Amino acid sequence: MIRENRTFEELKVGDCAELKRSCTADDLIVFANASGNHNPMHLPHQDVDGDGKEDEVVAPSMWVGSLISAVLGNILPGPGTLYKHQVFTFKDRAKAGDDLVAKVTVLEKKDDRTVRLGTEVRRVSDDAVLLEGEAEVCAPTAKFQYEEQDLPGLVVQSHRHFDALLERAETLEPISVAVVAPEEANSLGGAILGMKAKLITPILVGQKDKILAAAKELGENLDGVEIIDQINDSAAANAAVDLVAEGRAHALMKGHLHTDVLLHAALRKERGLRIGRRFTHIFVMDVPGVSHPLLVTDAAVNISPDLPTKVDIVQNAIDLAHSLGMDNPKVGVLSAVETVNPSIPSSVDAALLSKMNERGQITGGMVDGPLAMDNAINLAAARIKGIVSPVAGQAEVLVVPDLDAGNMLAKQLTFISGAEAAGIVMGAKVPIILTSRADSDKSRLASCAVALVHQARLMGKI
């Protein structure tokens, strides 16, 4: 964007300009670090009044005031402007999640080449005035034009959504989990981590000598942990499914075996885990800077899903989102475009899924598509494209066209954007936890917590 300032000579009484800005919790964390103001009233996950509930995050008044300086420095008068004086009266409070509009209006041009301006900040949702006052500035005397450059990004490296999920899971009784072939250190370590966090009670199913060798490598003692000895991966997968059929296990966890072997056992006709839907994989992702957990599906099971499979992909994701506390999740069905193009099958499928949601064939959430990635998750991008939708720009679930796209998206978010990811398979009688050797400890714990919270909901415990 090209920016051009307004010199003192060009300014006229009545000239005005405004900027729109969304207030996020991460903005307030950055402001706390920059200003040194660590008042817990302005930070997420704090119970300031001692009522046992985390209070809504209130924006510092001076953060709201700083939006005025952005208008003055960027637009009116623009580059070259210097503050002389500012008076603020704060009428109301902004909170994380609010959309705000900051506005300045030229009130007077003085003989000493200074300018007096009226200043205000309003909340978009109800047009309430949060701040009003006056500024006096030295206006620029020389014309200046420049192409606005984005500053280096600041990302708050916190995973507060998973922190909240783990806190919630800690209030529940651990669930019994059949861990299939945990025969090397990484896969066994994930099960032990979940056990120590009191999220799961593992039953280890596989070759006992290899499981004990893995425990020795980790320096862990498996006393008191049930181990069911099996001769190979296939036998271990079938034995683990038997534990679910017998009611002894309420979830499965993948160990050191191919996913296909585990799912083949789960899909068997006799005493299997089918419930009439296709098995679908969901990444629950905690992406720094995103104000809610982001579900990405399907990224590990269905390679090139047809429309009936995508219906189950969407419905399974909505069901899991309910367990995670999203009462009416917003589902964005992704394509390369945001309009239906018969030459792009994913755009046609997206439109059909959206219509099926309207007709009650997919329930429990709001489904919209086709949406391109930018206008699915970014409100500004959606507005620029003129997309009017309760989903566009604020999707909580992203349904990808195929496994390639889902896997790439999830790994980009993980390794470029600093996200943590929990992996789970839905559509079975019980959740199936899928972890990767590259997963961090937090991701492994979050996978266990997602399974625990979902199964607790299915069993009527939450």
Side-chain angles (χ1 to χ4, degrees):
M1 177 183 294
I2 302 297
R3 294 283 192 190
E4 184 176 85
N5 65 1
R6 304 280 295 279
T7 64
F8 179 85
E9 285 73 16
E10 293 174 315
L11 292 172
K12 298 177 182 178
V13 173
D15 286 348
C16 61
E18 64 181 34
L19 276 177
K20 293 182 179 179
R21 174 69 181 267
S22 294
C23 175
T24 70
D26 284 349
D27 286 330
L28 308 187
I29 292 172
V30 171
F31 187 81
N33 278 283
S35 67
N37 177 7
H38 298 168
N39 180 351
M41 281 289 294
H42 308 312
L43 298 172
H45 309 302
Q46 300 291 333
D47 176 19
V48 179
D49 55 15
D51 63 357
K53 299 178 182 178
E54 292 177 0
D55 297 310
E56 293 182 286
V57 187
V58 177
S61 295
M62 290 309 298
W63 181 86
V64 178
S66 71
L67 303 182
I68 295 297
S69 69
V71 186
L72 295 172
N74 291 332
I75 306 176
L76 187 72
T81 300
L82 293 174
Y83 253 127
K84 286 192 70 178
H85 184 67
Q86 175 77 64
V87 175
F88 285 142
T89 299
F90 298 101
K91 301 284 191 176
D92 202 349
R93 306 295 177 188
K95 295 179 179 178
D98 286 345
D99 290 327
L100 308 176
V101 177
K103 181 178 180 180
V104 303
T105 304
V106 176
L107 301 178
E108 180 186 3
K109 295 174 66 175
K110 298 187 175 183
D111 294 338
D112 61 356
R113 305 184 69 81
T114 61
V115 181
R116 187 169 63 89
L117 304 102
T119 60
E120 69 172 25
V121 176
R122 292 178 178 267
R123 184 167 47 230
V124 172
S125 61
D126 58 2
D127 202 35
V129 176
L130 307 185
L131 168 159
E132 63 183 14
E134 287 191 6
E136 190 171 311
V137 302
C138 297
T141 56
K143 287 295 289 181
F144 186 79
Q145 186 182 80
Y146 74 107
E147 184 173 356
E148 188 174 51
Q149 301 292 326
D150 288 334
L151 295 174
L154 293 176
V155 176
V156 178
Q157 291 290 350
S158 65
H159 296 97
R160 58 179 179 274
H161 306 307
F162 277 3
D163 291 340
L165 172 65
L166 291 168
E167 287 178 13
R168 182 183 178 197
E170 287 172 0
T171 66
L172 302 171
E173 290 293 324
I175 54 170
S176 177
V177 176
V179 187
V180 186
E183 297 163 356
E184 53 81 48
N186 278 312
S187 57
L188 179 61
I192 291 174
L193 198 65
M195 179 181 68
K196 288 183 175 180
K198 298 182 179 180
L199 300 172
I200 67 171
T201 301
I203 303 173
L204 309 179
V205 187
Q207 298 180 57
K208 186 172 182 179
D209 57 342
K210 291 184 178 180
I211 294 172
L212 293 175
K216 184 176 181 180
E217 182 181 342
L218 291 170
E220 296 288 350
N221 190 325
L222 296 180
D223 289 348
V225 178
E226 183 176 1
I227 302 176
I228 299 177
D229 194 17
Q230 297 293 320
I231 60 173
N232 57 37
D233 290 349
S234 180
N238 279 290
V241 173
D242 286 339
L243 292 175
V244 174
E246 296 162 7
R248 294 189 57 209
H250 298 105
L252 296 180
M253 177 184 281
K254 177 181 175 290
H256 189 57
L257 79 166
H258 288 294
T259 302
D260 288 350
V261 176
L262 176 58
L263 296 185
H264 184 268
L267 287 166
R268 70 192 190 191
K269 292 183 179 180
E270 297 295 329
R271 287 161 49 95
L273 305 183
R274 298 171 186 259
I275 60 170
R277 286 192 200 159
R278 289 159 177 82
F279 287 10
T280 66
H281 178 268
I282 302 167
F283 273 125
V284 180
M285 309 202 72
D286 188 342
V287 186
V290 177
S291 62
H292 52 78
L294 194 63
L295 278 61
V296 176
T297 185
D298 182 329
V301 173
N302 294 282
I303 298 172
S304 297
D306 56 12
L307 181 63
T309 302
K310 288 182 178 179
V311 172
D312 287 348
I313 287 172
V314 173
Q315 193 64 67
N316 285 340
I318 289 173
D319 290 351
L320 182 60
H322 288 168
S323 296
L324 297 175
M326 303 176 194
D327 294 333
N328 192 27
K330 303 175 183 70
V331 182
V333 188
L334 299 182
S335 182
V337 294
E338 59 279 341
T339 55
V340 177
N341 184 335
S343 299
I344 305 177
S346 62
S347 73
V348 178
D349 284 351
L352 291 171
L353 292 167
S354 179
K355 180 58 69 173
M356 293 173 77
N357 174 238
E358 288 181 17
R359 298 293 172 87
Q361 294 172 270
I362 299 172
T363 61
M366 296 181 287
V367 182
D368 192 21
L371 294 172
M373 182 65 183
D374 56 347
N375 47 61
I377 62 171
N378 185 278
L379 274 171
R383 288 167 179 162
I384 289 171
K385 293 291 183 70
I387 301 173
V388 179
S389 160
V391 175
Q394 47 194 336
E396 297 160 314
V397 179
L398 299 176
V399 179
V400 298
D402 54 32
L403 184 144
D404 279 342
N407 194 272
M408 291 175 190
L409 174 57
K411 288 180 178 176
Q412 286 169 350
L413 291 173
T414 299
F415 293 100
I416 297 177
S417 300
E420 295 278 9
I424 194 165
V425 172
M426 293 282 289
K429 290 179 181 177
V430 298
I432 302 172
I433 302 167
L434 293 188
T435 56
S436 166
R437 285 173 293 176
D439 284 347
S440 68
D441 284 352
K442 177 160 280 190
S443 286
R444 293 168 191 248
L445 286 174
S447 295
C448 293
V450 169
L452 170 56
V453 169
H454 179 65
Q455 190 62 17
R457 177 174 166 269
L458 293 181
M459 298 169 70
K461 295 183 177 180
I462 56 174

